[in-house]
């Protein structure tokens, strides 16, 4: 496809780096090319952006209606922006999103796009990993696909609930103010295990060790062998890419088709990103 900017694939199956595009001055052609590239690659890294919070909000709005996440405190002066921050003196703390997940997948209509802009980066570490849930689905055997296709999987936001599942050996991070103790977050909600990625028409696995509790109609113990197999399967190296952040990077991903995690390996350094979230959609069975 002839694009109005340069697209360099990252992984064998997904992810791309975009250069030659200014997110501040996107024209109609640029916007439609960007949406096409996003539908195909599902994770995009836009280099050399350095957007202000206002500019990030304006750019995000081009992709759809802004979404305000529950339980996470936004910036005081920008209610649509969250600071993802870890201070240099926050040592041995649990961080935000440090194991595989799709953002807020336990909600009835989980958010669709997540957008992160790098503001301050550690000199090493602090990478973000992604797994391609479309490629992971495609690679399963026909027999396993037949077994999984009709299933629903239960998601819970228990980490925000009254049964807080935090690592007791570690402190809680200060930089992202996540509130807990919400009884409604403990509720389990069933979503299709195989989800439609609308922009491409592809099928994607939709489960994660952060929010998925069990398969619908089964106990956690009964579900565990299948879910553990899927978690190991989608995290195989051939389905993953790793974002080594550079100053000015604006990263965007589609929660319908990928899962991600933030590596917490940069104790002693400050790391600050601004996050916006766009759209929400009830997961549709593929
Ligand atoms: Fe996340």
């Amino acid at each position: 496809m002839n694009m109005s900017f340069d697209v360099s694939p990252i992984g064998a199956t997904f992810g791309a780096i975009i250069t030659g595009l200014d997110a501040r001055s996107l024209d109609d052609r640029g916007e439609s090319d960007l949406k096409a590239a996003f539908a195909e690659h599902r994770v995009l890294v836009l280099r050399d952006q350095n957007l202000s919070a206002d500019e990030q909000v304006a750019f995000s709005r081009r992709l759809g209606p802004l979404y305000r996440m529950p339980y996470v405190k936004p910036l005081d002066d920008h209610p649509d922006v969250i600071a993802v921050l870890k201070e240099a003196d926050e040592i041995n703390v649990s961080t935000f999103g440090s194991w595989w997940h799709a953002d807020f997948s336990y909600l009835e209509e989980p958010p669709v796009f997540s957008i992160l802009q790098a503001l301050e980066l550690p000199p090493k570490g602090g990478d973000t990993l992604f797994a391609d849930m479309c490629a992971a689905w495609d690679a399963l055997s026909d027999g396993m696909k037949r077994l999984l296709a009709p299933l629903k999987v239960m998601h819970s936001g228990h980490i925000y609930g009254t049964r807080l599942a935090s690592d007791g050996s570690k402190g809680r991070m200060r930089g992202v103010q996540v509130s807990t103790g919400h009884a409604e977050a403990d509720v389990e909600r069933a979503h299709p295990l195989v989800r439609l990625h609308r922009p491409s028409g592809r099928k994607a696995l939709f489960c994660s060790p952060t929010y998925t509790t069990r398969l619908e109609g089964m106990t956690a113990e009964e579900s565990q062998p299948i879910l553990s197999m899927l978690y190991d399967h989608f995290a195989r190296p051939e389905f993953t890419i790793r974002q080594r952040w550079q100053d000015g990077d604006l990263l965007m991903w589609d929660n319908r088709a990928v899962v991600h995690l933030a590596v917490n390996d940069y104790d002693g350094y400050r790391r600050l990103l601004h996050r916006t979230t766009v759209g929400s959609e009830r997961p549709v069975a593929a």
Side-chain angles (χ1 to χ4, degrees), residues 77-119:
D77 50 351
H78 289 89
D80 293 308
V81 181
I82 285 166
V84 177
L85 169 65
K86 193 172 105 161
E87 295 285 5
D89 66 351
E90 291 187 271
I91 307 293
N92 195 29
V93 297
S94 297
T95 51
F96 188 57
S98 61
W99 197 234
W100 292 111
H101 64 284
D103 287 327
F104 295 87
S105 66
Y106 62 91
L107 296 174
E108 192 170 347
E109 295 185 4
V112 175
F113 304 135
S114 300
I115 301 165
L116 277 178
Q117 153 94 32
L119 278 87

